[in-house]
Structure formats: structure tokens, C-alpha cells
Amino acid sequence: MIGVRGAAYGESASAGTGGDSGSGSGESAGGELAGSWLATTGGKAVALVITGKQAALFGTGGSVCSGTAGEESGMRMIRLKCTDGSKDRATGMVDSVSGRSLKVTWEGGLGAETYRKAEGGKLPTGLPTASLG
């Protein structure tokens, strides 16, 4: 079972990788992805957790997804596989990230989704967490 426990959410495990010049403003896709991010889509809470190059997504409707987050061909991408077979959030491109918000455009019908940083790195209660692997 793959879990998201054991790593501090605020740690930067991916800093300095990829050969970029590092001249991002922090408001672009060059900002820090690591952390716990929350959104409400269609009346349901969605939590996206990124630790290093690992990503997990949990939704109050029962969605549990795991995968990767990182740089691909100069773009920051999130790639997830969901236990319920959903493809709504299978591939997403990070449009922008700052200390407070993360905007991801998901391929397919879902489109753009804006997340806010979870306070203290804590997720809300009531999200599914089983069967990530």
C-alpha cells in the first residue's frame, strides 16, 4: 500500500532538479508543489497531496488516486491513477502555484481546478484513504 504519511508536507524534496535556471517568480509553474491542497468541485471536497515526486488525491465521493507530480518537457505535470477507474484527473498540467494556491488544468472534461493550501498541512476529516496501491 502506498501512503502519503511519513513525510513533512512543507519539505521541498524536489528543489534544484531538472536543470532549470531557477529564475521563477513563485507565482508561476516554478513555485513549490509540495503540500496539501484543497478544492471544492461539484459540491465535493477534493484533497491533492504532493510529497516530493509522489501525488495522491482524495475526494469525498470516494475517489482515491495516486501517482506522480513533476517536471516533463519544461511543464509541471500531475499523473494519477484512480482506484475507481475515473479518468477525470488522470493527467493535469500545473498552470500556476504560489504559497496559497495551485491551479491545475486536467485533460478531458474536468478542465481547470483551483486548490488552496491546507492550513498547517492538515487535511479535512471524512476523506477516503484506503487502497492507494
Side-chain angles (χ1 to χ4, degrees):
M1 179 165 107
I2 298 172
V4 293
R5 59 180 162 65
Y9 294 124
E11 291 180 324
S12 175
S14 60
T17 61
D20 285 343
S21 64
S23 61
S25 67
E27 293 292 326
S28 69
E32 184 55 58
L33 290 179
S36 300
W37 303 93
L38 305 173
T40 303
T41 302
K44 297 179 180 181
V46 179
L48 175 63
V49 180
I50 301 173
T51 305
K53 292 185 179 184
Q54 294 185 341
L57 184 132
F58 311 93
T60 55
S63 295
V64 178
C65 312
S66 62
T68 61
E71 188 142 343
E72 297 176 20
S73 302
M75 298 177 291
R76 290 226 171 155
M77 302 296 293
I78 299 170
R79 297 195 184 275
L80 301 171
K81 184 173 182 180
C82 300
T83 58
D84 64 1
S86 172
K87 303 259 186 229
D88 288 346
R89 294 180 181 93
T91 303
M93 183 175 69
V94 175
D95 295 320
S96 64
V97 62
S98 70
R100 303 184 100 159
S101 68
L102 169 67
K103 183 177 179 185
V104 178
T105 298
W106 300 101
E107 290 181 6
L110 191 59
E113 201 169 38
T114 301
Y115 297 81
R116 72 182 191 286
K117 190 95 172 211
E119 292 184 28
K122 297 190 185 274
L123 296 175
T125 59
L127 295 170
T129 58
S131 303
L132 280 178

